[in-house]
Amino acid sequence: MIISCRTEYLGADYRDRFQPGDRNKQSDSSLFQEAVIAPFSVDQVHAYIHRYVSIYQPTWHVGDYKQALELIPTLKDLMSDPFLMTLSLEVLPRMLDPGQHLSATQVTRVGLYDHFVEQWLERGKKRIRERDLDRQSRIIFDRLSDEGFTQNGIDFLKRLAVADKQLLREACPLRRNGNQHRFIHRSLLEYGLARAIFDPQVNTERRVTDRVMGRRGSTSSVLSFEINDLAQESSVTVEQEPDIDSPLVWRSFVNDYSLMQFLEERVQKEPLFKQQLLAYIEYSKEDKKWRTAAANAITILIRANVGFIGADLRGIRIPGADLSYGMTGVQFGDLPFLTEEVEVYSCAYSQDGKSLAVGLQNGNVDVYTTLNWEKTRTLSGHSGAVHRVAYSPSDDQIATASEDMTVRLWGSQTGSLQRIFIGHTWYVYWVAYSPQGDQVASASVDRTVRLWDVTTGDCIRTLQGHDRTVMCVAYSPNGYEIASCSLDCTVRLWRVDTGECCRILAGHSDWVRQIAFSPQGDGIASVSDGKTVRIWDTETEACRFVLTEHISGVEAVAYSSKGDQVASGGADGTVIYQQAIPSYPRSRTVRLWDVESGHCLQTLTGHTSVIRSIEFSPNDNQVASGSSDGTVRLWDISSRVSRFIPNGHIFSTAYSPQGDRIASGGQDYIVRLWDVDTGSCLNTLYGHFDEVECVTCTFSPQGDVVASASEDMTVKLWDVAAGECFKTLDGHTGAVMTVVYSPDGNKIASGSMDATVRIWDAGTGECCQILVGHTTCTWVRDVAYSPQGNQLASAGYDKAIRLWDVETGECCTRLTGHSDRVISVTYSRQGDLLVSGSWDKTVRLWDVATGQCRGEIQNFQGAVFGTAWSASSDYLITGCQDSTMLKWEVVNEGESCRARLLWSATNGVLTTKGASIQDVFGLSPLNKQLLRQRGAIGEPVNILKEAGKKVISMASMISKLKQPSALDSSSASGEI
């Protein structure tokens, strides 16, 4: 049995470290047990507060502490730790000013230690001053006081944390044992070390000496006297380069979890520290002496939720770094690809999404696990290229079609060959399972489709009718029909039971390469060498849409599992994504299409040769595309993008409440209304005389009015049906930057370069209120109503966000933390969070009730101009100055929030050529493969499979240990 305190030192994977038996086999994972002493409950904390107040009689009363505990968001979690609770009770009266708004107060672990150490040193100073010191000691004391006694004490504390040197022992938080001294708590040693690594005062200030008249010595000292021309020091802010003498340079702190927590909080509070850490990483590219510092730096930055999306990490050295913090680990904003030595002809996901099979030019089929994208087996036996692979509905078989004129069935778990279907007289290009899994259909150059019995291997029937090569075959979802396509430019539908051709879909002008049934069976997507994708209605035989975004022949197409998206790919090397339609052309693109509207949602580029196969993952979050360039690329398409982009320089867009229209405003002074389904311009609204900066749609249920704001200092209201301006709101003395309707549609709020927010009556156009509070000559760049309509948020170029009470017009909260102008603000759908984007290249998540910053997304490559919440989930979209769009999942973690990157549409490319990842641990299999493909070198430490755990109560553990027989049997079996 192992007993441990300070469990933060164990690390996130401690269960794996303590797992009995062979760590690699993990066969005895169920034997691991742990008993946990729970943190203090609220009732226990209250009881301790009563005892503390009665014994020590601080300046605060019991009610003051309880109120702080209730209102300060982070305090309850901090005080669940015994030592932090004693620190909190000691320093809270010092930290908080009388009358301070507690719900807007942020208390952090490092903040508690800052105040505790300063208070301890000040008490030590007072104690020493009251002692009867000899003359020499009094001179030293006065000098230390003149120089700053507290700062001198902190400096000694830092030196003690780094090495054993002389201290101000009597003033520092130390205990004496004989001739030895130790800190009263180990965490103070770590705090001192954290201050030695980065001291906010030392790193942001430089002493400047001026010659002035002054007084020598402390004002309380009998030795003080007036002197002329005294050198007086003042502080000037200055940035410092990384220090070669920093402890980060010569020692790895990756596994010092408590220290890392101090440094993580420093990064979040001190931008300069973040810059220094990034500089360490950059320096490691040129000189290996910085590699330990770089490993420490990247570990700290990842713990602080700093991402590396699109970063240039070429040549960095980070041996032993930990990239695994939290659930997400490091965020690179990219995915790896699979590389084969020969052309990839096809790929297919298993039904459970855990495997991907890849058909190759050399006749082999490689099978990969999607857990880490490692190759699990190779199916060998075909003597010609494998044009198609397909998993059976139960995932127990894989069917393959080959140029050797055969169809083969393989055991998916064993890789063994189970059956060979012989009958075709030329290349077999396609194979598909029936929905029940009892039949297989194959398509061949011999112009036929054959149906095979999976159990007996017999050919049930041969379907004839096509005039040229049959390229593809697909079963309908109910299994009653089969669709086939051919180089004769047609798509045919056949009855499975009779083999009769019941419908012919004609319209393509060139070879039809591939087809796919919609999951509902009411539609078919077909792709052609004529550069088109067609969507057919299976009942009426009518062509619903002709999709023409590809610039060359299209060779592959696939539906998403919901039937709302289609992907196509081809010879132009791109993947195009449309709602409900995936296809692949001879272009090298994959395109994703919207099945309902026929609009192209997304074009995915990256292949350097023809794309021959496309597959949606079962959860529709990824598309896998196989290409003649020898790669399989994995595309994360879990987030939809805009269906169309209007021409011109667009400043702003807004959806109508029904989602069927979009209003846009641009540099040409014109407001345009667009049809979302067709992409056509419905109306053009003229009337502004300067750039239209912002457009928003009314939130009335009818969506019949559009409000537009312009640099001509007006807000105009437009009748959507008539296309006419029926009211102009005048009053601002500067350009109007933003406008928004209240949720009930009765009010309109506008923000302006005149530093004001105006609230207008939507019916009469009268100005009801003028909200003044942002700094004079500061732009109000964005305004947003809370979902409840009782609060309004405004973003200013004074780096602040103000929350206004709509009824009274009073500013109830001022949110500060951004280091540059705030550009955008948006409420979450519940109204409890507010997100802001800024020129400081960060996004902040604010608690609306407390005003506390609960989270920060950093490391954007430019200003964040746009933020938007999903209407139905906790997803956040950010738009950046560098043309990237990112989708985040916002996860609540107690009193803080963490944003997990889900999807990115970016022009940036992660670059890691020559980066050393030797002995780095915490890399996910995907990120490890990604870094290697981008040129990283070295061997990271593998993550062992997490051991199983069984948490039991401490009482039951103690009871068990008291039983000798239980101890003996447990020891023998390795149970504890």
Side-chain angles (χ1 to χ4, degrees):
M1 183 176 69
I2 297 175
I3 300 176
S4 173
C5 66
R6 308 211 65 213
T7 53
E8 63 266 31
Y9 279 98
L10 297 178
D13 60 345
Y14 70 92
R15 295 186 183 94
D16 181 76
R17 299 171 187 267
F18 293 137
Q19 174 61 35
D22 192 322
R23 297 177 66 215
N24 295 316
K25 294 182 179 178
Q26 302 291 322
S27 57
D28 298 327
S29 60
S30 61
L31 297 181
F32 177 78
Q33 297 181 359
E34 67 178 317
V36 179
I37 298 178
F40 285 161
S41 67
V42 174
D43 291 339
Q44 290 173 317
V45 172
H46 285 173
Y48 190 91
I49 290 173
H50 279 279
R51 293 286 304 276
Y52 178 86
V53 171
S54 65
I55 294 174
Y56 296 102
Q57 299 182 351
T59 57
W60 273 22
H61 302 294
V62 171
D64 298 324
Y65 284 111
K66 288 186 176 180
Q67 184 182 27
L69 186 64
E70 183 66 27
L71 296 179
I72 299 176
T74 56
L75 192 57
K76 190 177 297 183
D77 183 55
L78 289 170
M79 290 185 69
S80 64
D81 178 274
F83 186 69
L84 291 181
M85 180 167 61
T86 59
L87 257 64
S88 300
L89 299 179
E90 180 84 9
V91 303
L92 279 176
R94 170 192 176 96
M95 289 183 69
L96 305 180
D97 297 328
Q100 184 173 343
H101 185 47
L102 295 181
S103 61
T105 302
Q106 184 179 13
V107 175
T108 63
R109 183 170 178 262
V110 71
L112 289 174
Y113 279 81
D114 284 341
H115 284 274
F116 176 76
V117 170
E118 290 174 7
Q119 179 172 296
W120 190 291
L121 289 168
E122 289 171 3
R123 287 178 178 174
K125 174 184 175 182
K126 180 180 179 181
R127 187 173 64 250
I128 294 173
R129 183 172 59 225
E130 293 172 351
R131 288 176 50 191
D132 184 17
L133 300 176
D134 57 43
R135 184 174 182 278
Q136 184 62 31
S137 296
R138 178 62 64 178
I139 293 174
I140 295 174
F141 176 79
D142 289 340
R143 177 176 58 80
L144 292 172
S145 299
D146 288 343
E147 294 173 352
F149 189 92
T150 300
Q151 186 57 47
N152 268 298
I154 291 175
D155 289 342
F156 275 110
L157 186 69
K158 288 154 53 177
R159 290 201 294 271
L160 176 66
V162 177
D164 186 15
K165 296 185 178 181
Q166 184 67 28
L167 303 172
L168 296 170
R169 293 190 182 92
E170 295 187 33
C172 285
L174 303 171
R175 287 196 183 103
R176 182 172 179 175
N177 183 10
N179 63 350
Q180 294 185 344
H181 292 76
R182 65 173 57 191
F183 286 97
I184 61 173
H185 194 268
R186 179 179 170 84
S187 62
L188 286 165
L189 170 63
E190 293 146 356
Y191 168 79
L193 185 53
R195 289 289 292 255
I197 290 171
F198 181 87
D199 192 323
Q201 294 178 347
V202 172
N203 282 272
T204 58
E205 296 180 351
R206 179 181 62 196
R207 299 294 180 182
V208 178
T209 303
D210 295 322
R211 313 303 297 184
V212 297
M213 174 75 73
R215 183 178 184 85
R216 172 68 181 93
S218 169
T219 55
S220 62
S221 173
V222 296
L223 301 178
S224 63
F225 52 91
E226 299 289 345
I227 63 172
N228 290 317
D229 204 28
L230 176 67
Q232 178 171 304
E233 292 182 335
S234 59
S235 297
V236 177
T237 300
V238 62
E239 293 187 4
Q240 294 186 0
E241 295 294 324
D243 182 9
I244 189 63
D245 296 323
S246 168
L248 289 179
V249 177
W250 48 266
R251 176 180 166 188
S252 173
F253 299 105
V254 169
N255 293 319
D256 289 349
Y257 299 102
S258 181
L259 173 66
M260 281 290 171
Q261 188 173 352
F262 281 120
L263 298 176
E264 171 191 346
E265 293 182 1
R266 286 292 186 209
V267 169
Q268 295 167 348
K269 294 179 63 176
E270 305 290 346
L272 178 58
F273 186 36
K274 174 186 170 183
Q275 295 172 15
Q276 290 184 352
L277 295 177
L278 290 172
Y280 281 129
I281 298 173
E282 189 69 22
Y283 287 0
S284 73
K285 297 178 180 180
E286 304 296 332
D287 192 336
K288 65 180 181 181
K289 72 183 178 185
W290 298 98
R291 59 187 178 182
T292 300
N296 285 323
I298 198 168
T299 302
I300 297 166
L301 291 169
I302 289 169
R303 286 181 59 95
N305 202 32
V306 175
F308 291 85
I309 300 167
D312 182 359
L313 303 180
R314 283 176 292 187
I316 67 169
R317 299 177 175 93
I318 50 171
D322 181 3
L323 309 183
S324 64
Y325 180 67
M327 294 296 293
T328 58
V330 62
Q331 299 171 347
F332 291 121
D334 206 346
L335 289 174
F337 54 85
L338 309 178
T339 303
E340 296 285 357
E341 296 180 356
V342 296
E343 289 188 26
V344 177
Y345 275 35
S346 61
C347 56
Y349 279 100
S350 61
Q351 308 300 327
D352 60 12
K354 295 181 179 179
S355 299
L356 181 76
V358 179
L360 302 175
Q361 183 187 34
N362 62 7
N364 290 339
V365 176
D366 285 341
V367 181
Y368 295 86
T369 172
T370 58
L371 177 64
N372 54 21
W373 294 104
E374 292 183 356
K375 187 186 300 184
T376 57
R377 62 178 51 88
T378 297
L379 311 180
S380 300
H382 281 295
S383 58
V386 177
H387 281 267
R388 180 64 182 172
V389 292
Y391 277 87
S392 64
S394 60
D395 276 342
D396 60 338
Q397 282 183 336
I398 297 174
T400 57
S402 170
E403 289 184 3
D404 65 6
M405 300 181 287
T406 69
V407 173
R408 294 174 183 246
L409 301 186
W410 313 79
S412 61
Q413 298 301 317
T414 63
S416 61
L417 178 63
Q418 296 181 346
R419 197 169 297 281
I420 302 176
F421 298 151
I422 301 175
H424 283 292
T425 59
W426 204 241
Y427 295 169
V428 184
Y429 276 166
W430 203 266
V431 64
Y433 275 94
S434 64
Q436 297 77 23
D438 58 342
Q439 278 185 9
V440 165
S442 57
S444 171
V445 180
D446 64 11
R447 307 179 184 181
T448 67
V449 174
R450 289 178 179 260
L451 306 184
W452 308 85
D453 187 294
V454 169
T455 303
T456 65
D458 295 334
C459 179
I460 302 171
R461 59 180 46 88
T462 301
L463 312 182
Q464 296 178 323
H466 283 293
D467 297 332
R468 302 189 67 178
T469 298
V470 184
M471 298 297 297
C472 177
V473 63
Y475 278 89
S476 64
N478 59 19
Y480 297 157
E481 290 184 329
I482 287 177
S484 60
C485 66
S486 167
L487 300 188
D488 63 9
C489 307
T490 67
V491 175
R492 290 177 177 255
L493 298 178
W494 313 79
R495 288 177 57 90
V496 172
D497 55 352
T498 65
E500 174 191 358
C501 178
C502 49
R503 290 186 295 280
I504 300 177
L505 309 180
H508 283 291
S509 60
D510 211 330
W511 296 350
V512 185
R513 292 279 181 175
Q514 196 177 116
I515 53 174
F517 264 103
S518 67
Q520 296 77 21
D522 58 346
I524 290 178
S526 59
V527 296
S528 163
D529 275 11
K531 309 177 187 178
T532 63
V533 179
R534 286 178 177 257
I535 307 298
W536 307 86
D537 188 298
T538 56
E539 291 298 323
T540 65
E541 304 178 27
C543 180
R544 296 176 184 171
F545 299 107
V546 180
L547 314 176
T548 59
E549 296 287 333
H550 282 288
I551 61 175
S552 59
V554 190
E555 296 206 7
V557 65
Y559 270 92
S560 64
S561 63
K562 296 179 181 178
D564 59 338
Q565 297 167 354
V566 167
S568 61
D572 57 7
T574 66
V575 178
I576 298 184
Y577 172 87
Q578 298 237 22
Q579 194 92 350
I581 310 168
S583 62
Y584 58 89
R586 285 192 171 243
S587 62
R588 300 158 190 171
T589 65
V590 175
R591 286 180 165 83
L592 304 179
W593 309 85
D594 186 299
V595 170
E596 293 299 322
S597 67
H599 288 298
C600 179
L601 297 177
Q602 190 175 351
T603 300
L604 311 175
T605 60
H607 284 297
T608 58
S609 188
V610 176
I611 296 171
R612 297 189 176 273
S613 176
I614 286 181
E615 287 289 330
F616 269 97
S617 64
N619 61 8
D620 292 340
N621 289 334
Q622 286 184 350
V623 166
S625 57
S627 169
S628 293
D629 63 8
T631 68
V632 175
R633 289 186 178 262
L634 310 175
W635 312 90
D636 188 338
I637 48 86
S638 55
S639 173
R640 302 178 182 177
V641 298
S642 58
R643 299 184 181 182
F644 68 96
I645 302 175
N647 294 326
H649 190 157
I650 303 300
F651 278 142
S652 59
T653 57
Y655 271 96
S656 65
Q658 296 80 12
D660 58 343
R661 290 183 176 91
I662 286 180
S664 67
Q667 201 170 23
D668 56 5
Y669 323 147
I670 299 173
V671 179
R672 290 180 171 86
L673 301 181
W674 306 84
D675 186 288
V676 171
D677 289 333
T678 65
S680 59
C681 182
L682 300 174
N683 220 329
T684 303
L685 312 179
Y686 299 91
H688 283 293
F689 299 103
D690 211 329
E691 293 178 0
V692 181
E693 182 62 27
C694 181
V695 177
T696 185
C697 290
T698 176
F699 286 93
S700 66
Q702 297 77 17
D704 55 347
V705 178
V706 167
S708 60
S710 171
E711 292 190 6
D712 63 7
M713 297 185 288
T714 68
V715 174
K716 290 184 180 290
L717 306 183
W718 308 82
D719 186 293
V720 171
E724 296 177 352
C725 175
F726 65 89
K727 201 174 297 294
T728 299
L729 312 182
D730 290 305
H732 281 294
T733 59
V736 187
M737 307 298 292
T738 178
V739 63
V740 65
Y741 270 89
S742 62
D744 60 12
N746 294 328
K747 295 289 192 296
I748 296 173
S750 57
S752 169
M753 285 186 182
D754 63 12
T756 68
V757 176
R758 289 179 179 252
I759 298 180
W760 314 80
D761 187 291
T764 65
E766 294 181 357
C767 181
C768 308
Q769 289 175 316
I770 302 177
L771 310 182
V772 180
H774 285 285
T775 307
T776 305
C777 301
T778 293
W779 297 3
V780 176
R781 189 61 180 81
D782 196 16
V783 292
Y785 272 99
S786 65
Q788 297 76 21
N790 61 340
Q791 193 178 79
L792 186 75
S794 59
Y797 271 21
D798 57 0
K799 308 177 187 178
I801 301 157
R802 292 179 179 268
L803 305 184
W804 308 85
D805 186 292
V806 171
E807 290 298 322
T808 65
E810 295 180 356
C811 178
C812 49
T813 308
R814 182 172 178 266
L815 310 179
T816 58
H818 282 294
S819 59
D820 207 335
R821 296 157 290 175
V822 186
I823 309 171
S824 61
V825 287
T826 312
Y827 281 91
S828 64
R829 61 192 178 101
Q830 298 91 353
D832 57 335
L833 289 177
L834 184 78
V835 62
S836 59
S838 168
W839 277 95
D840 65 7
K841 305 179 183 179
T842 70
V843 166
R844 285 180 175 256
L845 299 164
W846 307 88
D847 190 297
V848 173
T850 66
Q852 178 193 2
C853 180
R854 294 183 60 191
E856 184 179 17
I857 309 175
Q858 301 177 338
N859 217 40
F860 288 94
Q861 301 304 305
V864 182
F865 281 99
T867 54
W869 286 93
S870 167
S872 59
S873 58
D874 293 326
Y875 293 137
L876 175 67
I877 300 291
T878 58
C880 184
Q881 186 183 22
D882 64 357
S883 304
T884 63
M885 184 174 294
L886 306 175
K887 177 180 177 180
W888 310 83
E889 180 184 17
V890 178
V891 181
N892 284 303
E893 296 183 346
E895 302 299 338
S896 63
C897 291
R898 185 174 295 273
R900 183 170 68 93
L901 181 67
L902 297 179
W903 175 86
S904 63
T906 174
N907 294 328
V909 177
L910 176 72
T911 308
T912 62
K913 186 175 182 179
S916 173
I917 55 173
Q918 182 66 37
D919 297 329
V920 167
F921 63 93
L923 275 176
S924 68
L926 275 182
N927 276 340
K928 180 166 64 174
Q929 190 167 353
L930 171 66
L931 295 182
R932 284 174 171 167
Q933 288 177 354
R934 297 297 188 272
I937 58 177
E939 184 61 34
V941 176
N942 289 325
I943 300 177
L944 298 178
K945 181 180 178 182
E946 183 175 324
K949 67 170 183 175
K950 180 180 179 184
V951 180
I952 62 177
S953 69
M954 183 64 73
S956 62
M957 173 67 81
I958 293 174
S959 175
K960 187 174 184 178
L961 293 176
K962 287 181 177 180
Q963 302 173 13
S965 58
L967 273 174
D968 294 341
S969 61
S970 298
S971 300
S973 63
E975 197 168 69
I976 299 179

